[in-house]
Coordinates of all heavy atoms in Angstrom, one line a residue:
F1081 N -2.5 -1.9 -2.8 CA -3.2 -2.3 -4.0 C -4.7 -2.5 -3.7 O -5.1 -2.7 -2.6 CB -2.6 -3.6 -4.6 CG -2.7 -4.8 -3.7 CD1 -3.7 -5.7 -3.8 CD2 -1.8 -5.0 -2.7 CE1 -3.8 -6.8 -3.0 CE2 -1.9 -6.1 -1.8 CZ -2.9 -7.0 -2.0
Y1082 N -5.5 -2.3 -4.8 CA -7.0 -2.5 -4.7 C -7.3 -3.9 -5.2 O -6.9 -4.2 -6.3 CB -7.7 -1.4 -5.4 CG -9.2 -1.7 -5.5 CD1 -10.0 -1.6 -4.4 CD2 -9.8 -2.0 -6.7 CE1 -11.4 -1.8 -4.5 CE2 -11.1 -2.2 -6.8 CZ -11.9 -2.1 -5.7 OH -13.3 -2.4 -5.7
H1083 N -8.1 -4.7 -4.5 CA -8.5 -6.0 -5.0 C -10.0 -5.9 -5.4 O -10.8 -5.9 -4.5 CB -8.2 -7.1 -4.0 CG -8.3 -8.4 -4.5 ND1 -9.4 -9.0 -5.0 CD2 -7.2 -9.3 -4.7 CE1 -9.1 -10.2 -5.5 NE2 -7.8 -10.4 -5.3
A1084 N -10.2 -5.9 -6.7 CA -11.6 -5.6 -7.2 C -12.6 -6.8 -6.9 O -13.8 -6.5 -6.6 CB -11.6 -5.4 -8.7
L1085 N -12.1 -8.0 -6.9 CA -13.0 -9.1 -6.6 C -13.6 -9.1 -5.2 O -14.8 -9.5 -5.1 CB -12.3 -10.5 -6.8 CG -11.9 -10.8 -8.3 CD1 -11.1 -12.1 -8.3 CD2 -13.2 -11.0 -9.1
V1086 N -12.9 -8.7 -4.3 CA -13.4 -8.6 -2.9 C -13.7 -7.2 -2.4 O -14.1 -7.0 -1.3 CB -12.5 -9.3 -1.9 CG1 -12.5 -10.8 -2.2 CG2 -11.1 -8.8 -1.9
N1087 N -13.4 -6.2 -3.3 CA -13.6 -4.8 -3.0 C -12.9 -4.4 -1.7 O -13.5 -3.8 -0.8 CB -15.1 -4.5 -2.9 CG -15.4 -3.0 -2.9 OD1 -14.7 -2.2 -3.5 ND2 -16.5 -2.6 -2.3
K1088 N -11.6 -4.7 -1.7 CA -10.8 -4.3 -0.5 C -9.6 -3.5 -0.9 O -9.0 -3.7 -1.9 CB -10.3 -5.6 0.2 CG -11.3 -6.6 0.6 CD -11.9 -6.1 1.9 CE -12.9 -7.2 2.4 NZ -13.7 -6.8 3.5
Y1089 N -9.3 -2.5 -0.1 CA -8.1 -1.7 -0.2 C -7.1 -2.2 0.7 O -7.2 -2.1 2.0 CB -8.5 -0.2 0.1 CG -9.5 0.3 -0.9 CD1 -10.8 0.1 -0.7 CD2 -9.1 1.0 -2.0 CE1 -11.8 0.6 -1.6 CE2 -10.0 1.5 -2.9 CZ -11.3 1.3 -2.7 OH -12.2 1.8 -3.6
L1090 N -6.0 -2.7 0.2 CA -5.0 -3.5 1.0 C -3.6 -3.0 0.9 O -3.2 -2.4 -0.1 CB -5.0 -5.0 0.5 CG -6.4 -5.7 0.5 CD1 -6.3 -7.0 -0.2 CD2 -6.9 -5.8 2.0
L1091 N -2.8 -3.3 1.9 CA -1.4 -3.1 2.0 C -0.8 -4.4 2.3 O -1.4 -5.2 3.0 CB -1.0 -2.1 3.1 CG -1.7 -0.7 3.1 CD1 -1.4 0.0 4.4 CD2 -1.3 0.1 1.9
D1092 N 0.4 -4.7 1.8 CA 1.1 -5.9 2.2 C 1.5 -5.8 3.7 O 1.9 -4.8 4.2 CB 2.5 -6.0 1.4 CG 2.2 -6.4 0.0 OD1 1.2 -7.0 -0.3 OD2 3.1 -6.1 -0.9
Y1093 N 1.3 -6.9 4.4 CA 1.6 -7.0 5.8 C 3.1 -7.3 5.9 O 3.5 -8.4 5.5 CB 0.7 -8.1 6.4 CG 0.6 -8.0 7.9 CD1 -0.7 -7.9 8.5 CD2 1.7 -8.1 8.8 CE1 -0.8 -7.8 9.9 CE2 1.6 -8.0 10.1 CZ 0.3 -7.9 10.7 OH 0.2 -7.8 12.1
P1094 N 3.9 -6.4 6.5 CA 5.3 -6.7 6.6 C 5.6 -8.0 7.4 O 5.2 -8.1 8.5 CB 5.9 -5.4 7.3 CG 4.7 -4.8 8.0 CD 3.5 -5.2 7.2
G1095 N 6.4 -8.8 6.7 CA 6.9 -10.0 7.4 C 5.9 -11.2 7.5 O 6.2 -12.2 8.2
K1096 N 4.7 -11.0 7.0 CA 3.7 -12.1 7.0 C 3.3 -12.5 5.7 O 2.7 -11.7 4.9 CB 2.5 -11.7 7.9 CG 2.9 -11.5 9.4 CD 1.7 -11.5 10.2 CE 2.0 -11.4 11.7 NZ 0.9 -11.5 12.5
E1097 N 3.5 -13.7 5.3 CA 3.1 -14.2 4.0 C 1.6 -14.5 4.0 O 1.0 -15.0 5.0 CB 3.8 -15.5 3.7 CG 3.7 -16.0 2.3 CD 4.6 -17.2 2.0 OE1 5.6 -17.4 2.8 OE2 4.3 -17.9 1.1
H1098 N 0.9 -14.1 2.9 CA -0.5 -14.4 2.8 C -1.4 -13.5 3.7 O -2.5 -13.8 3.9 CB -0.9 -15.8 2.9 CG -0.2 -16.7 2.0 ND1 -0.2 -16.7 0.7 CD2 0.7 -17.7 2.3 CE1 0.6 -17.6 0.2 NE2 1.2 -18.3 1.2
M1099 N -0.8 -12.5 4.3 CA -1.5 -11.6 5.2 C -1.5 -10.1 4.6 O -0.4 -9.8 4.0 CB -1.0 -11.6 6.6 CG -1.2 -12.9 7.3 SD -2.9 -13.1 7.8 CE -3.2 -11.8 8.9
Y1100 N -2.5 -9.4 4.8 CA -2.6 -8.0 4.3 C -3.2 -7.1 5.4 O -3.8 -7.6 6.4 CB -3.5 -8.0 3.0 CG -3.0 -8.9 2.0 CD1 -3.4 -10.2 1.9 CD2 -1.9 -8.6 1.1 CE1 -3.0 -11.1 1.0 CE2 -1.4 -9.4 0.2 CZ -2.0 -10.7 0.1 OH -1.4 -11.6 -0.8
I1101 N -3.1 -5.9 5.2 CA -3.6 -4.9 6.1 C -4.7 -4.2 5.3 O -4.5 -3.6 4.2 CB -2.6 -3.8 6.5 CG1 -1.5 -4.6 7.3 CG2 -3.2 -2.8 7.4 CD1 -0.3 -3.7 7.6
E1102 N -5.9 -4.2 5.8 CA -7.1 -3.5 5.1 C -7.3 -2.1 5.7 O -7.2 -2.0 6.9 CB -8.3 -4.4 5.3 CG -9.6 -3.8 4.7 CD -10.8 -4.6 4.9 OE1 -10.8 -5.7 5.5 OE2 -11.9 -4.1 4.6
V1103 N -7.5 -1.2 4.8 CA -7.8 0.2 5.2 C -9.0 0.7 4.4 O -9.4 0.1 3.5 CB -6.5 1.1 5.0 CG1 -5.4 0.7 5.8 CG2 -6.2 1.2 3.5
S1104 N -9.5 1.8 4.9 CA -10.7 2.4 4.2 C -10.3 3.0 2.9 O -9.1 3.3 2.7 CB -11.4 3.4 5.1 OG -10.5 4.6 5.1
P1105 N -11.2 3.2 2.0 CA -10.9 3.8 0.7 C -10.3 5.2 0.9 O -9.4 5.6 0.2 CB -12.2 3.9 -0.1 CG -13.0 2.8 0.5 CD -12.6 2.7 2.0
D1106 N -10.8 6.0 1.8 CA -10.3 7.3 2.1 C -8.9 7.3 2.6 O -8.0 8.1 2.1 CB -11.2 8.1 3.1 CG -12.6 8.4 2.6 OD1 -12.7 8.5 1.3 OD2 -13.5 8.6 3.4
D1107 N -8.6 6.4 3.5 CA -7.2 6.3 4.0 C -6.3 5.7 2.9 O -5.1 6.1 2.8 CB -7.2 5.4 5.3 CG -7.8 6.0 6.5 OD1 -7.8 7.2 6.6 OD2 -8.3 5.3 7.4
F1108 N -6.8 4.8 2.1 CA -6.0 4.3 1.0 C -5.5 5.4 0.1 O -4.3 5.4 -0.3 CB -6.8 3.3 0.2 CG -6.1 2.5 -0.9 CD1 -5.4 1.4 -0.6 CD2 -6.2 3.0 -2.2 CE1 -4.7 0.7 -1.6 CE2 -5.6 2.3 -3.2 CZ -4.9 1.2 -2.9
N1109 N -6.4 6.4 -0.2 CA -6.0 7.5 -1.1 C -5.0 8.4 -0.5 O -4.3 9.1 -1.2 CB -7.3 8.2 -1.5 CG -8.1 7.4 -2.4 OD1 -7.6 6.6 -3.2 ND2 -9.5 7.5 -2.3
I1110 N -4.9 8.5 0.9 CA -4.0 9.5 1.5 C -2.6 8.8 1.7 O -1.7 9.5 2.1 CB -4.5 10.1 2.7 CG1 -4.7 9.1 3.8 CG2 -5.7 10.9 2.5 CD1 -4.9 9.7 5.2
I1111 N -2.5 7.5 1.6 CA -1.3 6.8 1.7 C -0.5 6.7 0.4 O -1.1 6.3 -0.6 CB -1.5 5.3 2.2 CG1 -2.2 5.4 3.6 CG2 -0.2 4.6 2.3 CD1 -2.6 4.0 4.1
G1112 N 0.7 7.2 0.4 CA 1.5 7.2 -0.8 C 2.1 5.8 -1.0 O 2.5 5.2 0.0
D1113 N 2.2 5.3 -2.2 CA 2.9 4.0 -2.4 C 4.3 4.2 -2.0 O 5.0 5.1 -2.4 CB 2.7 3.6 -3.9 CG 2.9 2.1 -4.1 OD1 2.7 1.4 -3.1 OD2 3.2 1.7 -5.2
S1114 N 4.8 3.2 -1.3 CA 6.2 3.2 -0.7 C 6.4 4.3 0.4 O 7.5 4.5 0.8 CB 7.3 3.4 -1.8 OG 7.2 2.3 -2.7
E1115 N 5.3 4.9 0.9 CA 5.4 5.8 2.0 C 5.8 5.0 3.3 O 5.3 3.9 3.4 CB 4.1 6.5 2.2 CG 4.0 7.4 3.4 CD 2.7 8.1 3.6 OE1 1.8 8.0 2.8 OE2 2.6 8.8 4.6
T1116 N 6.6 5.6 4.1 CA 6.9 4.9 5.4 C 5.7 5.0 6.4 O 5.2 6.1 6.6 CB 8.1 5.5 6.0 OG1 9.2 5.3 5.2 CG2 8.5 4.9 7.4
L1117 N 5.2 3.9 6.8 CA 4.2 3.8 7.8 C 4.7 3.0 9.0 O 5.7 2.3 8.9 CB 2.9 3.1 7.3 CG 2.2 3.8 6.1 CD1 1.1 2.9 5.6 CD2 1.7 5.1 6.5
Y1118 N 4.0 3.1 10.1 CA 4.3 2.4 11.3 C 3.1 1.5 11.7 O 2.0 2.0 11.8 CB 4.6 3.3 12.5 CG 5.8 4.2 12.2 CD1 5.7 5.5 11.7 CD2 7.1 3.7 12.4 CE1 6.8 6.2 11.4 CE2 8.2 4.5 12.1 CZ 8.1 5.7 11.6 OH 9.2 6.5 11.3
L1119 N 3.4 0.2 11.8 CA 2.4 -0.7 12.2 C 2.4 -0.9 13.7 O 3.5 -1.2 14.3 CB 2.7 -2.1 11.6 CG 1.8 -3.3 11.9 CD1 0.3 -3.0 11.5 CD2 2.3 -4.6 11.3
I1120 N 1.3 -0.5 14.4 CA 1.3 -0.6 15.9 C 0.5 -1.8 16.3 O -0.7 -2.0 15.9 CB 0.6 0.7 16.4 CG1 1.1 2.0 15.8 CG2 0.6 0.7 17.9 CD1 2.5 2.3 16.1
T1121 N 1.2 -2.7 17.0 CA 0.6 -4.0 17.4 C 0.9 -4.2 18.9 O 1.9 -3.7 19.4 CB 1.1 -5.2 16.6 OG1 2.5 -5.3 16.8 CG2 0.7 -5.1 15.2
P1122 N 0.1 -5.0 19.6 CA 0.4 -5.3 21.0 C 1.7 -6.2 21.1 O 2.0 -6.8 20.1 CB -0.8 -6.1 21.5 CG -1.9 -5.7 20.5 CD -1.2 -5.5 19.2
I1123 N 2.3 -6.3 22.3 CA 3.5 -7.1 22.5 C 3.1 -8.6 22.4 O 3.7 -9.4 21.7 CB 4.1 -6.8 23.8 CG1 4.6 -5.3 23.9 CG2 5.2 -7.8 24.1 CD1 5.8 -5.1 23.0
I1124 N 2.0 -9.0 23.1 CA 1.7 -10.4 23.3 C 0.8 -10.9 22.1 O 1.1 -11.9 21.5 CB 1.0 -10.7 24.6 CG1 1.9 -10.3 25.8 CG2 0.6 -12.1 24.7 CD1 1.3 -10.4 27.1

């Protein structure tokens, strides 16, 4: 979703309440809604 008040292109952060993933407008446009993505994070 796009949040106009803060001008951010966001995805829901899986498993985290009140957290989102911010991406660039270009990347936002190439991601399909409900497309499977992989979140890569460190272990620790």
Side-chain angles (χ1 to χ4, degrees):
F1081 62 97
Y1082 171 71
H1083 198 292
L1085 288 176
V1086 292
N1087 192 31
K1088 301 281 185 189
Y1089 296 85
L1090 303 171
L1091 305 171
D1092 287 334
Y1093 200 120
K1096 292 198 178 185
E1097 192 173 339
H1098 307 295
M1099 290 290 296
Y1100 304 93
I1101 300 169
E1102 180 182 353
V1103 296
S1104 72
D1106 291 337
D1107 289 333
F1108 185 83
N1109 290 329
I1110 64 168
I1111 297 171
D1113 202 23
S1114 296
E1115 177 179 357
T1116 298
L1117 295 176
Y1118 298 95
L1119 177 64
I1120 312 297
T1121 59
I1123 298 289
I1124 299 171

